[in-house]
Amino acid sequence: MKHIIILGDGMADHKVDRLGGKTLLQYARPEYMNRLAKAGRTGRLVTVPEGFPPGSEVANTAILGYDLNKVYEGRGPLEAASIGYEMQADDFAIRCNIITLEDGKIITHNGGNLQTEDARILIDYLNETLAKPINEKEGCERVKFICGIQYRHLLIIKGGNKHIVCAPPHDHPNEPWRPLLVTPEPGLADSDTVVSDSVADTSHLSPTETASLINDLILRSQELLAQHPYNQARAARGERQANSIWPWSGGYRPSMQTLMQQYPQVKTGAVISAVDLIQGIGKYAGLRIIKVPGATGLADTNYEGKAQAAIDALQTDDFVFVHVEATDEAGHDGDLDLKLKAIDYLDQRLIKPIFEATEQMSEPVCIAILPDHPTPVEQRIHVNEPVPFLIYYKGIEPDAVEYYDEESCVTGSYGLLRLQQFMQEFMRIN
């Protein structure tokens, strides 16, 4: 039996008064999600271990069956793998958003929906005007910016220290940014931390030095980005500017087994996502990355292209992971109508064609549908709560649940699973 996971990032939500006290999934009544829930089995899943932030890097890694206590190194190294940057032993890789600040507050985590072609210009500009002078002064390539997708980029600090506290910008909309600047990890003396045993001590930065460097980069980026013609033109039009970098979630190169090493029934696999983070997790998991033209990470993504790519992959691969970011982005924007639309698009334009195609395949296919975490539109941040999931394949004995939503799945026959238990249960279906 082949296996496919379809993940709507941040799709789960809370009850909303404007929807008559229903969650978005309850209100939207997605046809194919409900159809598969009624024909299959359901449950809920804890996706974030105690002590970890409820980020997509944590939740998606756990969903794929990894022990976060053994492999977690933050978003930066995962996105480095996706971008194609080969991390060295002394590299500290940290995710670097380009965001919008106004009146001393974080307005958006996405730079006013910054597009990749514009971001590339800004990243090149920051390498020339911000990183280059630092590197010339240091006599080494201490700092390097690497362009990713849209607002999601990478900062490499040679000898940087991961024992720092960074605030994810999407968790702090409309909050003052200065109190959120980087600090050393509390309770640790600088002398207690090292970057890598294989790196000379002279190249190490302490947590205090790393935090100070990053904060200096943030402040200087604001001065430089404000002068760039791209932002000056946006300001003249009254549009949001991409006017500050915001690094967060950094680490060193992780050590992860592939899915093939963990699950013998998986011989080959593929990941389909527009997001660097998910592609990076997939790369470390041994999955081939399928890039779909027109896949944007937003509600205008190419759902049909992703569906067809998944269908094609199931012809040759044992395992396929399809990730859709649009529901999460709408949640972060606090856009109720857009999130409802993204749920409907996911249901009708991606799940429907995949389900119809797999029903006709000669080899059975097991389908799982779930989010990684809730991103409630009225809070605009990730929250650490169990998410609903469903599992369906031809011949499965259904449970009594008839709808796919946060409340209905509480009574599902899988009950409440935790972390790696989901993938273990999913892979047992063979």
Side-chain angles (χ1 to χ4, degrees), residues 113-357:
N113 288 324
L114 184 65
Q115 297 302 303
T116 304
E117 56 269 25
D118 297 317
R120 192 173 302 280
I121 295 170
L122 297 180
I123 291 295
D124 289 344
Y125 171 68
L126 290 173
N127 271 321
E128 183 64 26
T129 60
L130 182 53
K132 185 177 179 180
I134 293 173
N135 295 338
E136 289 176 346
K137 181 180 179 181
E138 292 269 337
C140 67
E141 194 173 49
R142 175 70 76 184
V143 173
K144 176 164 52 180
F145 294 96
I146 299 176
C147 186
I149 298 174
Q150 296 169 336
Y151 63 89
R152 311 175 189 94
H153 308 288
L154 197 65
L155 170 62
I156 304 294
I157 300 177
K158 189 70 69 175
N161 200 299
K162 73 175 183 179
H163 295 284
I164 56 176
V165 178
C166 307
H170 56 265
D171 282 349
H172 300 277
N174 297 316
E175 293 185 25
W177 61 267
R178 282 191 177 275
L180 301 173
L181 287 170
V182 183
T183 60
E185 192 174 297
L188 276 179
D190 281 349
S191 59
D192 293 337
T193 65
V194 296
V195 176
S196 171
D197 291 338
S198 62
V199 183
D201 289 342
T202 54
S203 70
H204 288 180
L205 297 179
S206 69
T208 300
E209 291 168 333
T210 303
S212 178
L213 173 58
I214 294 174
N215 289 333
D216 184 56
L217 292 172
I218 291 172
L219 296 174
R220 293 173 64 186
S221 78
Q222 294 171 16
E223 299 174 5
L224 293 166
L225 289 171
Q227 302 169 13
H228 195 277
Y230 172 80
N231 280 316
Q232 292 183 342
R234 290 183 70 86
R237 297 192 296 267
E239 298 173 353
R240 287 176 172 172
Q241 300 174 57
N243 57 9
S244 180
I245 64 166
W246 198 268
W248 59 285
S249 193
Y252 315 136
R253 181 184 175 93
S255 177
M256 291 172 58
Q257 285 189 322
T258 66
L259 288 183
M260 297 75 181
Q261 291 171 315
Q262 294 191 86
Y263 303 103
Q265 58 269 54
V266 178
K267 302 296 188 296
T268 61
V271 59
I272 301 167
S273 175
V275 177
D276 281 336
L277 164 67
I278 305 301
Q279 294 177 14
I281 294 173
K283 186 169 182 179
Y284 277 114
L287 306 177
R288 65 187 180 97
I289 298 171
I290 300 176
K291 296 188 177 182
V292 176
T296 64
L298 301 172
D300 64 353
T301 197
N302 183 0
Y303 296 91
E304 290 81 6
K306 283 189 168 184
Q308 190 58 54
I311 293 165
D312 292 344
L314 285 169
Q315 304 297 326
T316 56
D317 291 294
D318 304 303
F319 177 83
V320 179
F321 186 80
V322 187
H323 171 271
V324 175
E325 177 75 2
T327 40
D328 186 61
E329 290 294 325
H332 285 307
D333 286 343
D335 193 327
L336 176 66
D337 292 337
L338 183 61
K339 188 168 181 181
L340 287 169
K341 184 180 291 185
I343 290 171
D344 180 65
Y345 286 166
L346 174 63
D347 185 73
Q348 294 291 314
R349 298 171 60 186
L350 190 133
I351 294 173
K352 175 184 177 180
I354 290 175
F355 167 69
E356 291 179 342

Side-chain angles (χ1 to χ4, degrees), residues 89-102:
D90 57 348
D91 281 344
F92 172 68
I94 186 167
R95 163 73 171 271
C96 186
N97 284 36
I98 299 182
I99 68 173
T100 300
L101 303 179
E102 291 178 10

